[in-house]
């Protein structure tokens, strides 16, 4: 079983839609959770960083962590064509410098 | 602006040649990492370093080597022993070992001809 599972998509939505991206994980020691946006041929850009459970909002983006279900989500409101990218989830227990990544979900927002 | 600079952005190599990818950060981060990204496989850890003059192998270290002589710099050498070196290489850094925030450079695309 992989440490982190992420549906690769691809996901295609119309402009203005609410997008939900999800990851599940198996290691209950994970306490740091991140979402990255990666455009083609570019490095991943850190979008959201959450410690432990709960919600975090930043503009159109909301990250949710449910540690009891080992499930994290990223919501994008009022999606824009510029949101078209691959979204990676990542997590860490905070020790040993080990980060675990999902394989990424490809998102296309259609104008 | 603070950040991580990788160079070159694109690199072509003939089989049997060693190549070195540069990674420099001005974030004053202690920890630095090299990942390899292949389509459909996610990011795989090659090497990481927590402090100067110390580094550890990751999951796929065979055929790669690194050095950490300065806090700001963590170059990666792809040796001729790496059987399938064509990939997108990402350098990253984090402020310390007990935090989860990881920042990436723009990547280096290596193609073996």
């Amino acid at each position: 079983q992989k440490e982190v599972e992420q549906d690769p998509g691809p996901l295609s939505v119309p402009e203005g839609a609410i997008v939900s991206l999800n990851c599940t994980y198996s290691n209950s020691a994970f306490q740091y959770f991140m979402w990255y946006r990666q455009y083609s041929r570019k490095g991943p850009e850190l979008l959201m960083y959450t410690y432990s459970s709960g919600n975090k909002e930043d503009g159109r983006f909301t990250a949710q962590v449910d540690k009891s279900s080992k499930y994290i989500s990223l919501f994008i409101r009022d999606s824009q064509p510029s949101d078209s990218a691959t979204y990676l989830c990542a997590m860490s227990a905070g020790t040993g410098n080990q980060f675990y990544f999902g394989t990424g979900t490809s998102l296309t927002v259609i104008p | 602006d603070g950040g991580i600079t990788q160079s070159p952005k694109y690199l072509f190599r003939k089989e049997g040649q060693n190549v070195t990818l540069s990674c420099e950060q001005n974030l004053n981060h202690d920890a630095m990492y090299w990942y390899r990204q292949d389509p459909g496989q996610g990011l795989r850890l090659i090497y990481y370093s927590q402090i100067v003059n110390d580094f550890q192998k990751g999951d796929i270290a065979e055929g790669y080597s690194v050095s950490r002589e300065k806090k700001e710099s963590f170059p990666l050498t792809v040796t001729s022993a790496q059987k399938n070196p064509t990939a997108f290489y990402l350098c990253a850094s984090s402020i310390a070992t007990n935090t989860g925030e990881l920042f990436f450079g723009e990547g280096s695309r290596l193609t073996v001809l």
Side-chain angles (χ1 to χ4, degrees):
Chain A
Q1 183 184 10
K2 285 185 178 179
E3 297 270 6
V4 180
E5 299 277 359
Q6 182 175 10
D7 187 339
L11 186 61
S12 184
V13 301
E15 184 176 354
I18 297 174
V19 176
S20 173
L21 304 168
N22 311 294
C23 288
T24 59
Y25 62 95
S26 57
N27 189 343
S28 58
F30 290 154
Q31 52 182 339
Y32 298 94
F33 303 91
M34 290 152 282
W35 284 97
Y36 292 88
R37 177 175 61 196
Q38 185 176 24
Y39 293 114
S40 181
R41 303 179 190 277
K42 298 287 189 181
E45 172 194 3
L46 182 61
L47 276 180
M48 301 290 282
Y49 168 65
T50 309
Y51 171 70
S52 194
S53 283
N55 295 357
K56 183 174 183 179
E57 187 174 320
D58 184 0
R60 297 184 296 111
F61 299 92
T62 299
Q64 286 187 353
V65 175
D66 182 348
K67 292 189 72 177
S68 62
S69 300
K70 297 189 181 67
Y71 188 88
I72 68 171
S73 301
L74 177 71
F75 297 96
I76 306 174
R77 291 183 298 280
D78 187 26
S79 56
Q80 302 295 309
S82 59
D83 295 328
S84 298
T86 296
Y87 290 80
L88 302 169
C89 64
M91 44 201 80
S92 166
T95 60
N97 284 285
Q98 291 292 327
F99 294 85
Y100 297 87
F101 294 86
T103 53
T105 299
S106 176
L107 171 67
T108 300
V109 180
I110 303 168
Chain B
D1 285 337
I4 302 171
T5 301
Q6 288 187 240
S7 62
K9 193 172 179 65
Y10 298 97
L11 185 61
F12 297 89
R13 186 194 95 175
K14 292 181 180 179
E15 285 193 20
Q17 288 182 335
N18 294 352
V19 293
T20 297
L21 309 180
S22 170
C23 178
E24 303 279 331
Q25 55 101 355
N26 60 4
L27 300 167
N28 200 32
H29 285 175
D30 287 316
M32 297 187 73
Y33 312 77
W34 275 104
Y35 289 91
R36 171 177 171 145
Q37 188 175 35
D38 296 284
Q41 292 199 46
L43 277 72
R44 293 183 289 169
L45 181 64
I46 304 173
Y47 268 98
Y48 67 95
S49 168
Q50 298 183 23
I51 56 172
V52 174
N53 292 322
D54 183 66
F55 48 83
Q56 306 295 328
K57 292 182 179 180
D59 301 319
I60 56 165
E62 185 176 352
Y64 300 98
S65 66
V66 294
S67 63
R68 186 85 185 276
E69 297 177 0
K70 298 187 299 181
K71 186 176 184 177
E72 302 80 18
S73 180
F74 191 40
L76 174 73
T77 297
V78 185
T79 75
S80 56
Q82 169 50 232
K83 299 304 179 189
N84 185 21
T86 294
F88 190 51
Y89 291 89
L90 288 161
C91 179
S93 70
S94 63
I95 192 166
T97 58
N98 61 349
T99 173
E101 272 185 303
L102 187 66
F103 297 92
F104 286 89
E106 285 294 286
S108 293
R109 173 71 184 178
L110 172 63
T111 302
V112 173
L113 303 173

